[in-house]
Amino acid sequence: MADTRRHRRSAKAVKESLRDLNTQLALLNRQFGAKVELKDADWNCLDLVNRHGPLSAGALAKLAGLHPATMTGVLDRLQRGGWIVRERDPAAADRRAVTIRATRDRIPELYQVLSGMNNRMDKVCDRYTEAELEVIADFLRRTAAAGHDSAVELGGG
């Protein structure tokens, strides 16, 4: 019984910490976006393209959880800002099909703006063993999956 209560308290503390993390990352993203002139949705999509390689607009919309019409506006802004290029897919049956690719010349700008956070995260990670970092990474992956599943559920899909 006492173990169950302690576990519940610990789980509640983790959830509260995740809420705090969410708030702080939202604030960081807002400041970051202002520095590089990217809206939240634009930054999310650019990050997805950078992490997952060239993507079709439809695949990117699905990953980002955005409606295709919204994705068009995001891609237009990213292209105008020099963050991405749209390339025709010669292998596609639909001649309108394009692949979205991040431009490499602006990526160093992102790293520069985020260098403070990256350095702080390096210091945080230095405090943990490799085994502890593996547990933390597993927890964060599972938390991200739970967030994804909840977003899909709320979206009715």
Side-chain angles (χ1 to χ4, degrees), residues 13-64:
V14 167
K15 291 177 194 176
E16 285 294 321
S17 294
L18 286 172
R19 289 177 72 188
D20 291 342
L21 174 62
N22 182 55
T23 299
Q24 293 308 312
L25 290 178
L27 293 171
L28 173 65
N29 284 337
R30 195 171 308 126
Q31 294 299 321
F32 167 77
K35 288 277 188 200
V36 296
E37 298 178 348
L38 288 172
K39 294 181 177 190
D40 284 350
D42 300 356
W43 162 236
N44 288 338
C45 289
L46 179 59
D47 189 43
L48 288 168
V49 171
N50 277 321
R51 290 173 49 213
H52 298 284
L55 296 165
S56 70
L60 179 57
K62 186 173 181 176
L63 275 174

Side-chain angles (χ1 to χ4, degrees), residues 128-141:
Y128 296 94
T129 67
E130 186 176 336
E132 289 169 328
L133 289 172
E134 288 175 12
V135 170
I136 293 167
D138 177 65
F139 173 80
L140 293 173
R141 278 191 296 273

Side-chain angles (χ1 to χ4, degrees), residues 66-119:
L66 296 174
H67 188 275
T70 303
M71 182 55 59
T72 299
V74 168
L75 294 176
D76 287 346
R77 287 190 299 273
L78 289 173
Q79 189 169 18
R80 272 195 310 272
W83 296 104
I84 59 141
V85 292
R86 291 170 166 141
E87 299 172 331
R88 294 255 180 254
D89 185 351
D94 183 348
R95 291 181 305 169
R96 297 169 297 173
V98 295
T99 299
I100 312 305
R101 184 179 55 78
T103 57
R104 296 291 164 214
D105 55 328
R106 294 217 54 196
I107 299 306
E109 185 179 341
L110 299 176
Y111 288 121
Q112 176 61 37
V113 174
L114 289 173
S115 65
M117 179 62 171
N118 283 328
N119 290 335

